[in-house]
Amino acid sequence: MDYIHVNEMEFYGYHGALPEENKLGQRFRVTISLAVDLSGAGKTDDLSKTVNYAEVYMICKSVVEGKAVKLIETVAETIADNVLTTYKTKVSGVRVVLIKPDPPIQGHYSSVSVEITRGVFL
């Protein structure tokens, strides 16, 4: 299995269960990994035989910067679903790590995150 990784994309969104999160917004970081056969692209140097990273970035951006939801689980699920729908003939699986660096939780920690895997991802 081959993989494409787009790492540590950063966006600003308004997701959260607390009203101030929906009003003030906050940073979100996304790392996405796609399970895709890269042999055709590697042998031919043909972009049409792989997944365009810029398009994947824009899918993530549109979800994170789009309609506010309460849970980062929902954001991650929506990203995964949109990627799998867009690239249904090329991507067999997707892993999304969504990091919320500054949630309004008292205490000392680096961040909170969710990681989901959908489809075939070995």
Side-chain angles (χ1 to χ4, degrees):
M1 184 68 61
D2 304 322
Y3 302 96
I4 293 173
H5 307 283
V6 185
N7 301 303
E8 297 285 328
M9 296 173 279
E10 191 164 306
F11 307 106
Y12 200 85
Y14 294 85
H15 312 289
L18 301 175
E20 61 266 24
E21 293 178 288
N22 305 135
K23 185 176 180 179
L24 301 174
Q26 60 195 296
R27 295 177 306 131
F28 294 88
R29 288 196 307 265
V30 178
T31 293
I32 190 166
S33 300
L34 311 174
V36 66
D37 180 357
L38 298 175
S39 61
K43 291 175 183 173
T44 64
D45 199 33
D46 183 351
L47 179 62
S48 71
K49 297 189 183 301
T50 187
V51 174
N52 185 319
Y53 318 142
E55 292 174 1
V56 172
Y57 176 90
M58 292 308 294
I59 289 170
C60 295
K61 178 180 172 65
S62 70
V63 173
V64 177
E65 294 183 355
K67 180 184 173 197
V69 297
K70 292 179 184 161
L71 303 177
I72 60 175
E73 292 87 342
T74 303
V75 178
E77 188 71 38
T78 303
I79 290 170
D81 183 57
N82 286 355
V83 168
L84 287 171
T85 300
T86 302
Y87 297 106
K88 59 185 157 219
T89 62
K90 292 182 180 179
V91 174
S92 62
V94 62
R95 177 172 290 144
V96 177
V97 179
L98 184 70
I99 301 168
K100 194 173 185 177
D102 306 305
I105 302 171
Q106 289 187 344
H108 301 283
Y109 53 89
S110 172
S111 63
V112 297
S113 64
V114 297
E115 178 177 328
I116 66 165
T117 303
R118 299 295 179 262
V120 178
F121 202 95
L122 304 173

